[in-house]
Amino acid sequence: AVFADEPDSVRAVETAAPPPQRTFLWSEEPRLPGSLKVVAFSDATYASNNASRGFASNVAMPGGSIQMGAEVGLLSQRLSIEASAFEGGTFDTFGAMAGVKLALFPDSWTTHAVLSGGYVKELYSGNGAWGRLALSQDIGRVRLATTLHGQHVFADGRDAIDVMVILGANVKLSSIVRLGVEYVAQDIEAALDPAEAEGGMRHFIGP
């Protein structure tokens, strides 16, 4: 910007990075906050039987659950840390999740990818580790996204790895409205292991 009171000088005006967009319900969007920027989030779920990890981090436990957390950017939209706590289920139990997220591509690209991983304490009180790859692609007004989530709980009788896949697509109708659909497949390792601990695959699709 050029200022009239200083005609011989040009001042560089820093443009603040826009906040990361969250345009899906279940798919993780691979956009991170800027340096020292904070994004707070919350979600709530009720299921009559076996709510899944995609829904407020509830694992195979009927009833309602609530999750609240925050993400803090460490490097300019390339690295962040995230932590959340959740409560619910039939027995009013408590869980937590924390991790580090790394953006693989610059935020200015139309293709986004984030690799993340960390610690989880399930509502069943089991401790574990998780890893996730989130991808999205913008094609004009259309946004496509996919999330691959793997998790292992250090407890007897649990699977070597629990795998969940989420697919989503939406279209931008206006500056504040998008319309789309998402598909969730939980415990897809059951397709290869008939003795899968959580009782088989579960699927969800909705707007």
Side-chain angles (χ1 to χ4, degrees):
V2 179
F3 295 83
D5 58 342
E6 295 179 344
D8 297 328
S9 66
V10 176
R11 297 180 182 179
V13 178
E14 181 180 358
T15 301
Q21 300 179 19
R22 297 292 184 261
T23 59
F24 290 96
L25 289 176
W26 313 122
S27 302
E28 166 134 355
E29 283 203 71
R31 288 172 169 81
L32 307 185
S35 300
L36 302 182
K37 302 296 184 181
V38 179
V39 174
F41 58 88
S42 64
D43 53 47
T45 298
Y46 180 84
S48 61
N49 184 33
N50 294 335
S52 76
R53 292 173 190 81
F55 309 89
S57 298
N58 201 352
V59 180
M61 183 180 290
S65 60
I66 298 175
Q67 179 177 10
M68 300 185 69
E71 181 181 0
V72 182
L74 299 181
L75 295 175
S76 182
Q77 296 185 290
R78 299 302 295 272
L79 184 69
S80 70
I81 56 175
E82 181 179 282
S84 63
F86 36 93
E87 182 180 21
T90 305
F91 306 106
D92 193 26
T93 55
F94 174 81
M97 195 169 184
V100 177
K101 303 171 71 173
L102 173 66
L104 303 181
F105 305 140
D107 190 68
S108 58
W109 290 18
T110 58
T111 303
H112 297 86
V114 164
L115 187 64
S116 56
Y119 161 81
V120 62
K121 178 184 179 296
E122 289 187 330
L123 287 170
Y124 275 138
S125 298
N127 296 293
W130 60 273
R132 184 181 298 157
L133 176 63
L135 302 166
S136 75
Q137 176 67 53
D138 289 338
I139 307 172
R141 290 177 171 268
V142 175
R143 178 166 295 167
L144 307 176
T146 183
T147 301
L148 176 63
H149 178 94
Q151 179 172 304
H152 174 72
V153 177
F154 302 101
D156 294 336
R158 299 300 297 267
D159 296 317
I161 186 170
D162 295 308
V163 181
M164 181 173 68
V165 174
I166 307 174
L167 304 174
N170 64 43
V171 59
K172 184 177 181 180
L173 302 181
S174 72
S175 61
I176 61 172
V177 177
R178 283 180 177 266
L179 180 64
V181 62
E182 288 180 89
Y183 165 72
V184 180
Q186 178 190 333
D187 295 315
I188 63 175
E189 71 276 4
L192 302 176
D193 182 8
E196 191 270 336
E198 278 78 46
M201 296 177 62
R202 295 178 179 86
H203 305 268
F204 169 83
I205 188 169

